[in-house]
Coordinates of all heavy atoms in Angstrom, one line a residue:
P290 N 55.2 -26.5 7.3 CA 54.5 -27.7 6.7 C 53.4 -27.3 5.7 O 53.2 -28.0 4.7 CB 54.1 -28.5 7.9 CG 55.0 -28.0 9.0 CD 55.3 -26.6 8.7
T293 N 54.9 -25.8 2.4 CA 55.5 -26.9 1.7 C 54.4 -27.7 0.9 O 54.6 -28.0 -0.3 CB 56.3 -27.9 2.6 OG1 57.3 -27.2 3.3 CG2 56.9 -29.0 1.8
C294 N 53.3 -28.0 1.6 CA 52.2 -28.7 0.9 C 51.7 -27.9 -0.2 O 51.4 -28.4 -1.4 CB 51.1 -29.1 1.9 SG 51.6 -30.4 3.0
A297 N 54.1 -27.8 -3.2 CA 54.1 -29.1 -3.9 C 52.9 -29.4 -4.7 O 53.0 -30.0 -5.8 CB 54.3 -30.3 -2.8
K319 N 52.8 -31.2 11.8 CA 52.6 -31.9 10.4 C 51.2 -31.7 10.0 O 50.3 -31.6 10.8 CB 52.9 -33.4 10.5 CG 54.4 -33.7 10.8 CD 54.6 -35.2 10.9 CE 56.0 -35.5 11.2 NZ 56.2 -37.0 11.3
V320 N 51.0 -31.6 8.6 CA 49.7 -31.6 8.1 C 49.1 -33.0 8.1 O 49.8 -33.9 7.7 CB 49.8 -31.1 6.6 CG1 48.4 -31.2 5.9 CG2 50.2 -29.6 6.5
L647 N 51.0 -34.2 -3.0 CA 51.6 -33.6 -1.7 C 52.8 -34.4 -1.4 O 53.0 -35.6 -1.8 CB 50.5 -33.7 -0.7 CG 49.3 -32.9 -0.9 CD1 48.3 -33.0 0.3 CD2 49.5 -31.4 -1.2
P648 N 53.7 -33.9 -0.5 CA 54.9 -34.7 -0.1 C 54.4 -36.0 0.6 O 53.4 -36.0 1.2 CB 55.5 -33.7 0.9 CG 55.0 -32.3 0.6 CD 53.6 -32.5 0.0
D649 N 55.3 -37.0 0.6 CA 54.9 -38.2 1.2 C 55.2 -38.2 2.7 O 55.8 -37.1 3.2 CB 55.6 -39.4 0.6 CG 57.2 -39.3 0.6 OD1 57.7 -38.6 1.5 OD2 57.8 -39.8 -0.3
E650 N 54.9 -39.2 3.5 CA 55.1 -39.2 4.9 C 56.5 -39.1 5.3 O 56.8 -38.6 6.4 CB 54.4 -40.4 5.5 CG 52.9 -40.4 5.5 CD 52.2 -41.5 6.3 OE1 52.2 -41.3 7.6 OE2 51.8 -42.4 5.8
D651 N 57.4 -39.5 4.5 CA 58.9 -39.5 4.8 C 59.4 -38.1 4.8 O 60.5 -37.8 5.2 CB 59.7 -40.4 3.8 CG 59.4 -41.8 4.0 OD1 58.9 -42.3 5.1 OD2 59.5 -42.6 3.0
S652 N 58.6 -37.1 4.2 CA 59.1 -35.8 4.1 C 59.2 -35.1 5.4 O 59.8 -34.0 5.6 CB 58.2 -34.9 3.1 OG 56.9 -34.9 3.7
G653 N 58.4 -35.5 6.4 CA 58.4 -34.9 7.7 C 57.4 -33.8 7.8 O 57.2 -33.2 8.9
V654 N 56.5 -33.5 6.8 CA 55.5 -32.5 6.9 C 54.1 -33.0 6.8 O 53.2 -32.3 7.0 CB 55.7 -31.4 5.7 CG1 57.1 -30.7 5.9 CG2 55.6 -32.0 4.3
I655 N 54.0 -34.3 6.4 CA 52.6 -35.0 6.2 C 52.6 -36.1 7.3 O 53.6 -36.9 7.5 CB 52.5 -35.5 4.8 CG1 52.3 -34.3 3.8 CG2 51.3 -36.5 4.7 CD1 50.9 -33.8 3.8
E656 N 51.4 -36.2 7.8 CA 51.1 -37.4 8.7 C 49.7 -37.9 8.3 O 48.8 -37.2 8.2 CB 51.1 -36.9 10.1 CG 50.9 -38.0 11.2 CD 51.0 -37.5 12.5 OE1 50.2 -36.6 12.9 OE2 51.8 -38.0 13.3

Side-chain angles (χ1 to χ4, degrees):
T293 299
C294 287
K319 294 179 181 179
V320 172
L647 300 181
D649 57 31
E650 289 191 76
D651 294 336
S652 66
V654 300
I655 288 281
E656 180 179 60

